[in-house]
Amino acid sequence: MSHKLIVVTGGTRGIGRAIVEIFAKNGFDIVVSARKRKDLQELQSFINTEYKVNCFTYAANLAKKEQVRGLVDFIQLLSRPVDILVNNAGNFIPGNIYEEEDGILENLIETNLYSAYHLTRGLVKGMIAQKSGHIFNMCSVASLMAYPNGGSYSISKFALLGFSKGLREELKPYNIKVTSIMPGAVLTDSWAGVDIPAERFMSADDVAKTIWTAYNLSDSAVIEEIVMRPQKGDI
């Protein structure tokens, strides 16, 4: 019997990488998408060797609609049902709305929202046909409350949460679960160079373990929204 299949975008670093590893460790085959082909090749070699599962990779900038379509076509050529989709690809650009450079909003909407929108639309019909699946959307505490210097990032994450809520209502009749993950500060490359002790952050593994736990509920239960913050509060 073939392994179950999980699709993870932005999967070579940080939270995405932690998600890939925890599911591979538990016997899932993986489809990973990210922008850099070299990072994907290194991850593929590691996963195939370390966990003895199949790791399929596809290099794409998912802010570009045509490249999302290419990823959908790649996944469909595998002729495998998709059991889990993790829309994790995203970008953070700090700044205030009134003084951001022109184009920042478009950039973040395309990366943080449209990537998830188009990829989900491309794969969800297969989930509907099999009447099963679980979609995780990587939102943020910025989806719940805007903050100074959050600018268009907060706008994009508010929109992603709205997208996730809409999906949840639409997919109930088809046994497809939808979970919105809203983490606070996680120690990833986004915080590189800051003078803040590591213990003030959550780890990427914390988020990955939470997603694994949410996935492993019975068929009759779903966690709709998960808010995670560092124990000592937001940074």
Side-chain angles (χ1 to χ4, degrees), residues 7-11 16 31-34 62 71 85-89 115 119:
V7 176
V8 183
T9 64
V31 175
V32 187
S33 177
L62 298 184
L71 175 57
L85 168 61
V86 182
N87 286 309
N88 174 68
S115 64
L119 183 56

Side-chain angles (χ1 to χ4, degrees), residues 23 84-88 134-138 164 177-181 210-212 214-215 223 226:
F23 279 88
I84 306 171
L85 168 61
V86 182
N87 286 309
N88 174 68
H134 200 147
I135 299 169
F136 290 91
N137 292 316
M138 193 60 62
S164 200
K177 300 181 181 184
V178 180
T179 302
S180 305
I181 311 291
T210 301
I211 289 176
W212 174 250
Y215 170 72
I223 299 177
I226 299 173

Side-chain angles (χ1 to χ4, degrees), residues 3 29 78:
H3 298 155
D29 287 341
L78 297 175

Side-chain angles (χ1 to χ4, degrees), residues 7-25:
V7 176
V8 183
T9 64
T12 55
R13 297 184 299 169
I15 293 172
R17 172 67 179 255
I19 294 167
V20 166
E21 289 205 37
I22 197 169
F23 279 88
K25 181 179 179 181

Side-chain angles (χ1 to χ4, degrees), residues 24-208:
K25 181 179 179 181
N26 284 279
F28 277 72
D29 287 341
I30 318 286
V31 175
V32 187
S33 177
R35 296 189 184 194
K36 296 182 180 179
R37 195 176 304 276
K38 181 181 178 182
D39 291 348
L40 287 166
Q41 290 171 341
E42 291 174 352
L43 176 63
Q44 183 180 48
S45 177
F46 173 79
I47 294 296
N48 289 345
T49 302
E50 184 73 15
Y51 298 111
K52 311 300 181 186
V53 298
N54 295 306
C55 181
F56 308 98
T57 64
Y58 189 87
N61 176 0
L62 298 184
K64 307 296 184 183
K65 185 176 181 180
E66 66 276 10
Q67 295 190 37
V68 178
R69 288 174 172 166
L71 175 57
V72 171
D73 291 343
F74 174 79
I75 294 168
Q76 291 177 340
L77 284 173
L78 297 175
S79 299
R80 299 271 302 271
V82 174
D83 297 282
I84 306 171
L85 168 61
V86 182
N87 286 309
N88 174 68
N91 192 19
F92 171 70
I93 302 174
N96 293 315
I97 292 169
Y98 67 91
E99 59 186 2
E100 292 174 332
E101 291 183 11
D102 187 40
I104 294 295
L105 176 61
E106 291 87 344
N107 177 309
L108 291 175
I109 289 290
E110 288 167 355
T111 305
N112 297 346
L113 175 65
Y114 288 173
S115 64
Y117 173 84
H118 293 304
L119 183 56
T120 300
R121 280 167 52 87
L123 298 179
V124 75
K125 289 181 181 178
M127 291 182 172
I128 289 172
Q130 70 202 29
K131 287 189 165 49
S132 68
H134 200 147
I135 299 169
F136 290 91
N137 292 316
M138 193 60 62
C139 301
S140 167
V141 291
S143 301
L144 300 172
M145 180 173 292
Y147 53 86
N149 211 40
S152 288
Y153 177 77
S154 291
I155 295 172
S156 70
K157 289 297 187 176
F158 263 81
L160 184 61
L161 179 58
F163 164 69
S164 200
K165 287 176 177 288
L167 272 183
R168 166 64 181 144
E169 296 306 312
E170 293 175 3
L171 298 179
K172 284 177 182 177
Y174 304 104
N175 259 352
I176 300 167
K177 300 181 181 184
V178 180
T179 302
S180 305
I181 311 291
M182 288 165 279
V186 178
L187 191 56
T188 64
D189 290 348
S190 296
W191 292 92
V194 299
D195 187 22
I196 302 173
E199 58 268 20
R200 277 293 282 117
F201 295 86
M202 296 180 291
S203 72
D205 285 342
D206 290 325
V207 181

